[in-house]
């Protein structure tokens, strides 16, 4: 492990002890718990309304963690739902699935589709948005 990675791990370890960060992460865990099955093992049951609810930042109903992804919920329709299901089927390389998704669906960007992948497979994927990109650059580990 190089020095940048060691420094990043130390900074992240300290940051994760912050009560504000812990509260923020609790909300993410709640969203994952609510949507994980529909975004992974029960894809056949996933509906347009489920995806719109996920993209709807609302403290009482839907997603109460990612507060900027709701701008694009109206881009979800039956056609984009099929592309979302293809993206979330973890049966091919993720790069291939993302490339196909981006070609098929307009109005849903990396912050939204990476959040969907994270919720379906939290042990495998992460969110790629302005905050995570800035954080990786700040920590000196952006590739």
């Amino acid at each position: 492990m190089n020095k940048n990675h060691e420094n990043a791990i130390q900074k992240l370890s300290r940051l994760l002890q912050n009560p504000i960060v812990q509260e923020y992460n609790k909300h993410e865990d709640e969203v994952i718990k609510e949507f994980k099955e529909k975004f992974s093992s029960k894809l056949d049951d996933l509906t347009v309304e489920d995806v719109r609810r996920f993209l709807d930042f609302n403290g009482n109903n839907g997603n109460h963690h990612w507060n900027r992804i709701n701008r694009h919920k109206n881009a979800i329709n039956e056609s984009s739902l099929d592309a979302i299901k293809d993206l979330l089927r973890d049966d091919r390389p993720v790069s291939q699935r993302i490339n196909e998704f981006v070609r098929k669906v307009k109005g849903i960007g990396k912050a939204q589709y990476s959040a969907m992948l994270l919720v379906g497979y939290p042990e495998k994927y992460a969110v790629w948005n302005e905050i995570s990109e800035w954080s990786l650059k700040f920590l000196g580990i952006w590739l």
Side-chain angles (χ1 to χ4, degrees):
M1 184 179 314
N2 71 36
K3 193 68 171 166
N4 281 346
H5 289 127
E6 289 175 17
N7 289 337
I9 289 169
Q10 290 173 359
K11 287 178 186 178
L12 287 172
S13 294
R14 286 192 303 271
L15 183 64
L16 291 173
Q17 301 307 311
N18 183 309
I20 295 170
V21 172
Q22 291 176 347
E23 182 68 18
Y24 184 78
N25 287 339
K26 182 179 116 187
H27 292 300
E28 179 181 311
D29 293 342
E30 291 167 357
V31 173
I32 290 171
K33 183 179 178 183
E34 182 173 349
F35 290 96
K36 182 178 182 357
E37 281 190 346
K38 287 233 177 162
F39 280 37
S40 58
S41 61
K42 295 189 176 179
L43 278 173
D44 291 338
D45 297 334
L46 186 65
T47 66
V48 168
E49 199 51 45
D50 292 328
V51 178
R52 285 184 179 162
R53 203 164 59 83
F54 172 75
L55 294 174
D56 186 14
F57 179 77
N58 182 331
N60 299 317
N61 181 28
N63 186 340
H64 50 274
H65 177 65
W66 291 287
N67 63 354
R68 294 187 181 174
I69 63 175
N70 63 336
R71 296 177 289 190
H72 306 287
K73 68 182 181 181
N74 292 327
I76 305 303
N77 54 41
E78 289 300 326
S79 176
S80 61
L81 180 64
D82 289 339
I84 289 168
K85 288 179 179 182
D86 288 342
L87 171 73
L88 294 172
R89 279 192 184 86
D90 205 30
D91 58 354
R92 295 177 293 135
V94 69
S95 59
Q96 182 182 4
R97 291 180 282 138
I98 289 172
N99 287 337
E100 288 175 8
F101 179 81
V102 169
R103 277 194 309 273
K104 292 177 181 178
V105 180
K106 303 302 177 208
I108 300 292
K110 66 185 177 191
Q112 293 79 29
Y113 67 70
S114 66
M116 291 181 212
L117 286 165
L118 166 73
V119 168
Y121 306 92
E123 66 288 344
K124 193 170 184 178
Y125 300 110
V127 170
W128 180 13
N129 59 22
E130 290 177 12
I131 295 169
S132 62
E133 191 171 316
W134 177 88
S135 299
L136 292 171
K137 289 175 182 176
F138 175 78
L139 293 168
I141 55 175
W142 178 255
L143 300 179

